[in-house]
Amino acid sequence: TQLCTKRDPYRAAFLSLAGLSENDLVASNFVSHPFKPSFFLCVDRRSRSVVLVCRGSLEPHDVITDALATAHKFEDGYTHGGFLAGTEWVLSMICEPLRKTVEENPGYRVVFIGHSLGAATAILAAKRLR
């Protein structure tokens, strides 16, 4: 599931810096939109991991997601409304590719990681899927 073209410079930079091949990138959204944060779902064969990388706030659209700071019911408590909306969208994009990738790579661990907005997205997604 790719949401941007293969010519995208962000895509090329991510693959180069992460040392991954095109085949290792399972799903991605390199350019964020309101409540649709940037993420990369990939296979890291060196560490035998399926990794969800959620990028932090970078683009003006991310500020809209950050600013929706209303409390929303989540699990046994409450969470930031913008983070939850972004997380639900990311999960809608990765659930099936994640399931398939984990099945195709038995013994691989699943890692969710992010910074800032991405950390919130990764934590909420991991909690939701746990």
Side-chain angles (χ1 to χ4, degrees):
T1 303
Q2 307 303 331
L3 301 180
C4 55
T5 67
K6 291 188 177 188
R7 296 183 311 241
D8 190 320
Y10 291 118
R11 176 189 190 91
F14 175 76
L15 292 171
S16 175
L17 290 171
L20 302 174
S21 72
E22 281 283 338
N23 294 336
D24 293 328
L25 187 59
V26 178
S28 61
N29 179 45
F30 287 84
V31 179
S32 65
H33 298 280
F35 313 111
K36 296 180 178 179
S38 180
F39 72 87
F40 326 103
L41 179 65
C42 57
V43 179
D44 182 353
R45 303 202 185 280
R46 290 172 300 196
S47 68
R48 298 182 45 84
S49 302
V50 177
V51 183
L52 174 65
V53 179
C54 301
R55 194 193 69 208
S57 300
L58 175 67
E59 300 172 51
H61 292 115
D62 297 324
V63 175
I64 296 169
T65 304
D66 291 336
L68 183 63
T70 56
H72 285 258
K73 191 86 171 121
F74 181 78
E75 307 273 329
D76 295 331
Y78 293 88
T79 193
H80 182 286
F83 297 164
L84 182 58
T87 299
E88 289 173 346
W89 179 79
V90 169
L91 287 173
S92 76
M93 301 303 298
I94 69 153
C95 275
E96 185 56 29
L98 175 62
R99 183 196 60 75
K100 183 178 176 190
T101 303
V102 168
E103 284 179 4
E104 291 172 351
N105 295 281
Y108 277 40
R109 64 189 180 139
V110 177
V111 177
F112 287 15
I113 190 167
H115 171 262
S116 182
L117 167 62
T121 303
I123 290 167
L124 293 174
K127 183 88 171 147
R128 181 74 86 196
L129 292 179
R130 192 170 80 167

